[in-house]
Amino acid sequence: MSEQGKKLIFSGIQPTGTFTLGNYIGAISNWKTLQDEYNCIYSVVDMHAITVKQDPAKLRSNTLDAYALLLACGIDLDKSIVFIQSHVKTHAELSWVLSCTTQFGELTRMTQFKDKSAKHSDDVNAGLFTYPVLMAADILAYNADLVPVGADQKQHLELARNVAQRFNQRYGEFFTLPEPYIAEVGAKIMSLQEPTKKMSKSDENPNSCILILDDKDTIIRKFKRAVTDSEAEICYRDGKDGINNLMTIYSMVTGKNFDEITKEFAGRGYGDFKLTVGEAVAEHLRPVQEEFARIRADKQYLKECYTSNAEKALKMSQRVLSKVYRKIGFVDAR
Ligand code: TYM
């Protein structure tokens, strides 16, 4: 709980290329809504990104893009703190402490580790393995109450809760056990090409994934190619993964519910539906793209934002870390 009695939210996003429509719907749009009710802290997690090989120049520019994109998506620095993870050293420091209360066995059960180590079999580094500990540190460094994420992060959050609980048992009640905030609709936006798989920027097929900086023609082309089914009915039903996904996306960008969408498209074909979804998404993203271009061009403004916000985050997390150090028996440095 934060000082003003409001609950505290923490979440993060990796700067590994432009955000996808999945990131936008599953996470960032909730981050934006939650700002009014909670004290929110959001981070561009560049330290997580280096668990897979990155080109240094690209990582630097992707990190600035990600920061500017969050602002362009409506994260408001008058309401929220937004910082770059590597600017706030307490995350790495707390991560080390927490790694000593995390069990090897529980890390081996992380499905994301299994997936990523299979995909990057030439570089199964220790960071990839201990990634969830750093994620726990991100959250616990602020004693966050709530963590808004997509469904794919649920297991990592459970681990963060277990690590916090174990620490509390060993050293006395201290960490808040963070709750996941996973929206009912949109928590898992699926690939447009294989709608049983989540939409991911690392997918090799570029048609599977909408990037939020894609231009209108590209967005419409990708939706036109979206894989659906052999029926002709636009309704939300088990087994209609492709249509369910398109309905979810359309619902999230227009605010219409599934019944309204079914009525709107009664008697109309899939081609028509896909085109309408594509146009609606492009229209929804247009102001975000314009705002991004404006903010990203102003390097001085961006720098002021990320430096002042990192200072705020450092101050808050330093208070937590100092208490942790005292609890575990480290000698005070001052
Ligand atoms: P990342 O960068 O992969 O994704 C950022 C957020 O987007 C959500 N997301 C999706 N939601 C719905 N449908 C999809 N297809 C989709 N793809 C991604 C993710 O669930 C996530 O919420 N480990 C995290 C970053 C992180 C973090 C944290 C999150 C680091 N520290 C602390 C919360 C708290 C990750 O890799 O997210």
Side-chain angles (χ1 to χ4, degrees), residues 10-16 20-28 31 45 48 85 112 116 131 134-136 138-139 147-153 156-157 186-190 198-201:
F10 182 93
S11 201
I13 188 158
Q14 293 197 57
T16 41
T20 67
L21 192 61
N23 295 136
Y24 180 76
I25 291 176
I28 304 167
W31 296 9
V45 292
H48 279 90
Q85 187 186 29
Q112 199 154 318
K116 285 201 177 172
Y131 175 117
L134 180 58
M135 182 163 157
D138 296 338
I139 300 164
V147 184
V149 282
D152 63 332
Q153 295 299 319
H156 286 162
L157 259 171
K188 196 167 185 189
I189 299 299
M190 310 309 270
K198 82 162 183 178
M199 182 182 282
S200 163
K201 51 195 148 194

Side-chain angles (χ1 to χ4, degrees), residues 140-256:
L140 300 177
Y142 304 90
N143 256 325
D145 299 283
L146 209 59
V147 184
V149 282
D152 63 332
Q153 295 299 319
K154 194 162 178 256
Q155 194 187 29
H156 286 162
L157 259 171
E158 276 159 12
L159 182 107
R161 284 173 62 89
N162 291 342
V163 170
Q165 209 159 19
R166 202 169 298 126
F167 182 96
N168 289 352
Q169 274 159 3
R170 203 174 281 181
Y171 299 107
E173 281 306 309
F174 179 69
F175 285 124
T176 306
L177 301 190
E179 296 283 345
Y181 177 100
I182 299 174
E184 264 174 44
V185 181
K188 196 167 185 189
I189 299 299
M190 310 309 270
S191 151
L192 297 184
Q193 290 298 310
E194 282 177 79
T196 49
K197 253 175 54 181
K198 82 162 183 178
M199 182 182 282
S200 163
K201 51 195 148 194
S202 59
D203 200 310
E204 272 151 31
N205 184 344
N207 289 323
S208 69
C209 173
I210 302 289
L211 300 176
I212 69 174
L213 295 178
D214 277 346
D215 61 36
K216 185 174 180 179
D217 290 346
T218 308
I219 293 175
I220 291 177
R221 182 171 39 78
K222 288 181 181 175
F223 275 107
K224 276 188 178 165
R225 293 186 183 168
V227 169
T228 48
D229 53 57
S230 54
E231 299 174 359
E233 201 188 351
I234 295 157
C235 66
Y236 197 97
R237 198 169 59 217
D238 268 0
K240 289 177 78 72
D241 299 315
I243 290 294
N244 294 349
N245 192 37
L246 296 182
M247 285 182 74
T248 303
I249 293 171
Y250 189 58
S251 166
M252 294 306 289
V253 297
T254 60
K256 296 176 185 172

